[in-house]
Amino acid sequence: MTGSEVPLAFRLAYVPGVTPTKWVRIWNERLPGTPLTLVGVPAAEAAGLLRDGGADAGFVRLPADRTDLSAIPLYTETTVVVIPKDHEGTAVEEMAVEDLAEEIVLHPLDDTLDWERPPGRPAFERPATTEDAVELVAAGVGLLVVPQSLARLYHRKDLTYRPLTGVPESRIALSWPEEKTTDLVEEFIGIVRGRTVNSTRGRPPTPPQPKARRADSKKGGAPRKPAAGKQSRGGASGSGGSGGAKNAKGGAKRGKPRRRP
């Protein structure tokens, strides 16, 4: 661990399409005294935000510039094509990239897929954002290829989508500055990786507790002393059992011997 000071809050960045609700809930259950603050950030700006200290960790899309950043890939998203509900592609469950050869395919400036060459025919102008591109699909200008989470995020009732094969896929990773792997960052890594609350990874182990001393002495130790006012069995009275008590009682009734007349 390189971080010794605990910040007032843990700042978690996330890019569009990522839903951190589950991990935030677990964090609040395990660390109720340390609030978690969510920081939304465009995918293209996420790495820079982490390097500039705008967040302690963040969910980013790969590929990304990972200079001075650590990253743990978490999952890969399905790539889909967004189409109008009256498009012929709705007749199939899955489309191939070759099916888009004669289609106008919008390529927004914030596109997160690592294209060697985008499919289809290019539009006259590139939309500024994926959200703008979705609006153009609804207007009948063209189609749009995106990770499935973005198709859900910007869903419209007049649009649908189909899985698309033969295209790049987007991966989601948890990333943070290499030199700022604090205890709280380790805590969140453990949550994302599914570690249990009893895991000692990233925190000092609990020292073993000393065993409680038994009240009774161990075998072979000094015998107990009898309680005050009580005698142990076979005491020094000279007579054992109840007979000794009777004799003592009888002796108390004896008086002086009578004289014979």
Side-chain angles (χ1 to χ4, degrees):
M1 307 294 167
T2 59
S4 57
E5 296 182 359
V6 179
L8 296 177
F10 183 72
R11 299 161 301 165
L12 178 67
Y14 68 101
V15 298
V18 175
T19 305
T21 307
K22 176 182 71 173
W23 297 302
V24 173
R25 175 180 53 80
I26 297 174
W27 175 279
N28 291 334
E29 291 173 355
R30 295 188 185 180
L31 291 90
T34 305
L36 186 151
T37 303
L38 292 174
V39 182
V41 59
E45 301 175 13
L49 179 76
L50 293 173
R51 275 194 285 275
D52 294 341
D56 300 295
F59 293 107
V60 302
R61 286 191 181 275
L62 300 179
D65 181 6
R66 291 168 55 178
T67 305
D68 300 326
L69 297 178
S70 296
I72 301 173
L74 300 177
Y75 58 90
T76 301
E77 286 200 64
T78 299
T79 302
V80 302
V81 54
V82 180
I83 57 179
K85 281 192 172 180
D86 59 357
H87 190 276
E88 61 183 8
T90 57
V92 298
E93 294 183 357
E94 184 180 83
M95 297 177 66
V97 67
E98 293 79 13
D99 298 331
L100 307 182
E102 299 302 321
E103 299 277 3
I104 292 178
V105 178
L106 302 165
H107 188 208
L109 295 175
D110 66 351
D111 184 28
T112 59
L113 297 173
D114 188 22
W115 295 107
E116 183 175 337
R117 181 180 179 276
R121 296 159 49 201
F124 178 73
E125 186 177 355
R126 294 182 64 181
T129 66
T130 298
E131 187 174 10
D132 292 339
V134 170
E135 296 297 323
L136 293 175
V137 175
V141 174
L143 309 183
L144 175 65
V145 179
V146 291
Q148 184 172 341
S149 65
L150 294 182
R152 290 174 174 173
L153 178 64
Y154 302 122
H155 173 69
R156 287 175 52 108
K157 292 182 179 180
D158 52 352
L159 300 178
T160 187
Y161 57 84
R162 291 292 184 269
L164 187 66
T165 62
V167 292
E169 295 176 317
S170 176
R171 291 187 300 162
I172 299 297
L174 176 64
S175 184
W176 67 95
E178 289 180 351
E179 297 182 356
K180 295 181 180 179
T181 309
T182 63
D183 288 346
L184 291 183
V185 169
E186 285 283 7
E187 286 283 357
F188 194 75
I189 292 171
I191 289 173
V192 170
R193 283 186 158 177
R195 294 181 200 145
T196 65
V197 68
N198 295 324
S199 173
T200 59
R201 177 79 178 266
R203 64 179 76 172
T206 304
Q209 299 297 322
K211 294 182 179 180
R213 297 181 63 184
R214 294 182 58 183
D216 296 339
S217 301
K218 292 183 178 180
K219 187 176 181 181
R224 281 185 177 182
K225 293 183 179 181
K230 293 185 179 181
Q231 293 182 348
S232 59
R233 291 184 179 179
S237 60
S239 58
S242 60
K246 287 182 180 179
N247 290 340
K249 185 176 180 181
K253 288 184 177 180
R254 287 183 186 144
K256 293 182 181 181
R258 295 180 179 179
R259 293 181 180 180
R260 292 182 181 181

